[in-house]
Amino acid sequence: MKYRNITEGSFLERPNRFIAYVEINGKKEKVHVKNTGRCRELLTPGATVYLEKSDNGERATAYDLVSVKKGERMINMDSSAPNKAVHEWLLKKELFPGLKNVYPEKVYRNSRFDFYIETEEEKIFLEVKGVTLEKDNAVYFPDAPSERAVKHVGELAEAIKEGYSAYIVLVVQMKEVDFFAPNVETHPAFAQALLEAREAGVKILAYDCEVTPDSMELRDPVPVVLTELDLIAKPLLSWYDRGRRILPWRENPMPYYVWLSEIMLQQTRVEAVKPYFDRFIGQVPDVKSLACLEEERLVKLWEGLGYYNRVRNLQRAAKIIMEKYEGIMPSGYEKLMDLPGIGSYTAGAIASIAYGKAVPAVDGNVLRVLSRLRMDGEDILSQKTKSRVEKELGAVIPEDRPGDFNQALMELGATVCLPNGAPKCMECPWKGFCKAHLQDKIFEFPKKKSKKERIIEEKTVLVIKAEDKAAFEKRPEKGLLAGMYGFPMLEGHRSEEEVLYFLRSKGLRVIRIQRIGEAKHIFSHKEWHMIGYAINIDELEAPKEGVAKAGWIFADKDEARERYPIPAAYASYAKYLDIKLGV
């Protein structure tokens, strides 16, 4: 937008909101101020101001004060200029390429919004706010309490419920500022209204302007900071770009690779997963091969990663993808959530990394770093807390780099903001505004309610060898380690005499028995405290009936290694057969 007949002057005083006195060409002139805000930090004695001379010779004031220099920065302070500039900008179709109509001043309920817009797909209300208050290169609104602004924001949120789209465009009437934030000190209700509006779906945008004495034009987007989360993306992505880890699924983020890696990474470290991932895709390269693979072979490939129900759900989901989606993994978050074994975190990871959808992926790492960042005292093990954080991140995730943003958050938690009291704060891109770091309270966060104590189960493991073969039993198809193979096992800690009695009841002739030590394996909800015996039996005299009834098979170590999936719970005893579990 352009002005005509611009004159330079020197500000003298402002007796009220509408009138000021300015020295123009050595003469004191009464002028009209085109801004009813306070503008105290702008209109200081001696400040250079710019005025538009009116064409109406009968006006009481011949000039309108439209802009001012604050140091070397030119600031437009004309309250009518933002709407004019936005109108011109909308007509260029930069915000809405499918623009059909623009109507200034539209009444809706008890508000008169600045613009009503129609595109090929949407009906939109848009409210404009001019921003002139600058501190330390950041800008704020309002500079005085504004109940009208709060009402407008609230009714935009209501319009969303009725099917409209809604926007707030904050026109920063100067250029090259760091960010916009609501002026919480002056009007906390407006700050809260903006936050609630964004959560309701109102898009909040800010743009700076190219300002000259006789013009103002919208220029570049300005970051909008409503909470600490609005500060995190830029430094986080810069940190990630400088030193992200090179991972096979990251370098080739095909949906299948992302999905497989995320399932493998549950409860397992990245470095440990790499060889398992490479081995798995080498033999099961796509969804079709996963859906068709024989289950026992599938579980064998998973051996060493634990939590075997994960791989079974992986195959169930693959079969659904083949049947319902013709072998192509769906890109939609909700459709991903419908697949077996895929929760909100995994769905968010796949949708954002593989498909570029702006949805969050919140796991324990993310909850931990955000808890410290904000000194959030809520229990991070609570689903309520996780759901809240997902909603908050959904409002700030960069639409141009959602996958990198989610991976950077995971990376920060995995490599810098570590659990167990060992964060590397000086390497953190957020160290300048992380509350727990700045207040030296890192070790107090995150907050977790005490978990229920694990159930302890005592077991006796029998490594039964007949010449070059050993006995294995298949576990039940449901329950812990379902369908896996392990050594025969008895409940409780049994004495040598009890073990011998058990074996004789199976018709086995024991040649030698030896105690081989204790071991512990921890599951999510229980612990096995085990003792073991190495037992040699006479294969030639061993009757088959007792063994068959027990459901045991005898296999040599090569067959066991290649064919039968043996979980890591038995690792301490597998070594007595020279069997290494996993990759």
Side-chain angles (χ1 to χ4, degrees):
M1 57 150 292
K2 296 275 294 182
Y3 296 102
R4 297 181 304 158
N5 300 326
I6 290 295
T7 299
E8 183 179 312
S10 179
F11 179 78
L12 298 174
E13 60 177 325
R14 185 185 185 185
N16 60 51
R17 291 192 303 166
F18 305 102
I19 297 298
Y21 288 95
V22 175
E23 183 180 307
I24 302 174
N25 297 324
K27 182 180 177 183
K28 183 177 181 179
E29 295 275 2
K30 183 169 78 170
V31 304
H32 173 234
V33 180
K34 297 194 71 175
N35 190 311
T36 58
R38 290 174 178 171
C39 301
R40 290 172 180 168
E41 80 289 351
L42 299 178
L43 297 179
T44 58
T48 300
V49 294
Y50 296 90
L51 309 104
E52 183 181 41
K53 189 170 183 179
S54 174
D55 293 330
N56 185 353
E58 297 182 2
R59 272 183 41 169
T61 54
Y63 294 93
D64 294 312
L65 197 161
V66 295
S67 58
V68 60
K69 287 194 80 172
K70 182 183 178 185
E72 296 302 312
R73 171 172 272 150
M74 177 71 72
I75 300 175
N76 182 290
M77 53 176 291
D78 177 358
S79 293
S80 66
N83 281 38
K84 294 176 183 177
V86 167
H87 196 181
E88 292 176 359
W89 176 66
L90 288 172
L91 294 177
K92 293 178 182 178
K93 299 187 177 183
E94 293 185 12
L95 183 59
F96 304 117
L99 181 72
K100 292 171 62 180
N101 296 300
V102 178
Y103 302 98
E105 304 254 331
K106 179 71 172 181
V107 174
Y108 172 79
R109 293 195 173 195
N110 297 316
S111 290
R112 183 186 295 273
F113 293 129
D114 292 318
F115 294 98
Y116 170 67
I117 299 160
E118 293 176 340
T119 72
E120 295 172 356
E121 298 178 349
E122 296 178 285
K123 294 181 178 180
I124 303 160
F125 289 117
L126 187 149
E127 183 70 6
V128 177
K129 300 296 178 191
V131 182
T132 61
L133 177 60
E134 180 267 337
K135 298 178 185 177
D136 299 323
N137 214 46
V139 290
Y140 303 87
F141 181 91
D143 73 343
S146 174
E147 296 303 327
R148 179 172 174 271
V150 173
K151 185 184 79 167
H152 282 166
V153 172
E155 296 212 333
L156 283 173
E158 290 298 316
I160 292 280
K161 297 177 183 177
E162 297 185 9
Y164 294 95
S165 297
Y167 286 73
I168 297 171
V169 176
L170 299 145
V171 178
V172 179
Q173 295 172 251
M174 64 197 84
K175 68 178 181 179
E176 295 176 353
V177 298
D178 293 334
F179 62 85
F180 163 85
N183 195 348
V184 178
E185 293 181 5
T186 297
H187 200 182
F190 178 74
Q192 185 61 32
L194 272 188
L195 188 59
E196 291 173 359
R198 185 169 72 177
E199 290 175 353
V202 178
K203 298 287 195 306
I204 301 172
L205 310 176
Y207 291 85
D208 74 354
C209 291
E210 186 70 41
V211 178
T212 69
D214 67 349
S215 69
M216 187 179 85
E217 184 176 7
L218 261 70
R219 202 174 73 118
D220 296 324
V222 171
V224 174
V225 177
L226 304 188
T227 73
E228 296 95 332
L229 294 186
D230 292 293
L231 297 170
I232 68 177
K234 185 175 180 180
L236 178 68
L237 288 169
S238 295
W239 169 82
Y240 180 72
D241 291 339
R242 289 194 302 271
R244 66 184 183 88
R245 291 177 291 180
I246 305 300
L247 304 173
W249 51 87
R250 184 175 282 173
E251 300 310 300
N252 186 7
M254 295 167 47
Y256 176 65
Y257 287 6
V258 175
W259 175 34
L260 177 62
S261 68
E262 291 299 339
I263 299 300
M264 286 185 167
L265 285 165
Q266 293 171 14
Q267 310 292 335
T268 312
R269 293 180 301 105
V270 165
E271 292 304 316
V273 161
K274 285 181 182 179
Y276 287 99
F277 178 85
D278 290 337
R279 181 181 73 170
F280 199 96
I281 63 170
Q283 299 186 48
V284 192
D286 51 33
V287 173
K288 183 178 180 180
S289 58
L290 173 59
C292 297
L293 194 65
E294 187 265 329
E295 183 181 339
E296 200 162 89
R297 179 61 184 154
L298 176 71
V299 176
K300 180 64 181 176
L301 277 172
W302 200 262
E303 182 183 277
L305 283 168
Y307 300 89
Y308 290 90
N309 201 42
R310 292 182 296 169
V311 74
R312 293 190 177 91
N313 280 331
L314 200 70
Q315 188 173 61
R316 292 188 192 107
K319 290 177 179 178
I320 293 172
I321 293 168
M322 293 302 299
E323 295 167 5
K324 192 173 180 180
Y325 301 106
E326 299 181 344
I328 299 173
M329 195 158 200
S331 62
Y333 178 82
E334 298 299 335
K335 289 182 178 179
L336 288 166
M337 284 274 286
D338 286 339
L339 294 171
I342 294 184
S344 61
Y345 165 75
T346 306
I350 297 167
S352 63
I353 299 169
Y355 291 112
K357 305 280 188 180
V359 291
V362 177
D363 67 352
N365 279 327
V366 174
L367 289 167
R368 180 174 63 257
V369 299
L370 295 183
S371 172
R372 287 172 173 166
L373 172 74
R374 302 185 289 180
M375 294 203 333
D376 187 340
E378 296 298 317
D379 174 20
I380 68 165
L381 299 178
S382 160
Q383 181 57 46
K384 181 180 178 182
T385 301
K386 183 180 179 183
S387 297
R388 172 177 60 82
V389 171
E390 286 173 341
K391 185 176 181 180
E392 291 168 343
L393 281 179
V396 302
I397 187 169
E399 294 191 1
D400 58 337
R401 297 185 66 184
D404 286 344
F405 176 80
N406 283 333
Q407 290 182 97
L409 275 176
M410 302 171 206
E411 189 109 321
L412 188 67
T415 64
V416 174
C417 196
L418 303 173
N420 304 321
K424 304 173 184 177
C425 291
M426 298 317 295
E427 299 176 22
C428 179
W430 300 343
K431 61 180 178 289
F433 53 89
C434 172
K435 289 184 177 179
H437 169 62
L438 294 174
Q439 297 186 34
D440 197 22
K441 293 185 177 180
I442 284 289
F443 301 135
E444 298 179 27
F445 295 89
K447 303 293 186 183
K448 297 180 184 179
K449 287 186 178 178
S450 299
K451 289 184 179 180
K452 292 181 180 179
E453 290 188 8
R454 294 189 189 93
I455 299 169
I456 294 175
E457 296 180 348
E458 294 182 339
K459 306 284 185 181
T460 298
V461 179
L462 309 179
V463 182
I464 303 169
K465 295 183 283 187
E467 295 187 0
D468 62 342
K469 295 184 177 182
F472 296 91
E473 63 178 355
K474 188 173 184 179
R475 294 184 59 80
E477 292 300 327
K478 293 185 178 180
L480 191 64
L481 304 179
M484 304 291 289
Y485 286 81
F487 299 114
M489 193 160 58
L490 302 175
E491 297 297 324
H493 286 172
R494 303 298 185 92
S495 66
E496 184 175 313
E497 290 75 16
E498 288 175 306
V499 171
L500 287 170
Y501 178 81
F502 170 74
L503 295 173
R504 289 181 190 128
S505 73
K506 301 296 180 188
L508 299 178
R509 181 183 174 190
V510 176
I511 298 173
R512 183 169 178 266
I513 182 170
Q514 178 186 3
R515 178 79 175 262
I516 52 175
E518 301 176 358
K520 180 192 294 186
H521 190 79
I522 298 175
F523 300 95
S524 59
H525 59 296
K526 63 176 60 178
E527 297 180 16
W528 281 359
H529 291 193
M530 298 171 282
I531 62 171
Y533 291 91
I535 300 146
N536 291 85
I537 63 171
D538 187 338
E539 182 181 28
L540 296 178
E541 296 187 13
K544 303 300 181 184
E545 184 177 352
V547 170
K549 285 183 178 179
W552 296 353
I553 59 168
F554 278 83
D556 62 32
K557 66 180 182 181
D558 293 331
E559 185 182 8
R561 184 185 299 113
E562 294 300 321
R563 181 174 178 183
Y564 298 112
I566 304 171
Y570 298 97
S572 295
Y573 300 107
K575 65 185 180 183
Y576 290 97
L577 298 178
D578 193 25
I579 296 175
K580 182 181 179 182
L581 303 184
V583 176

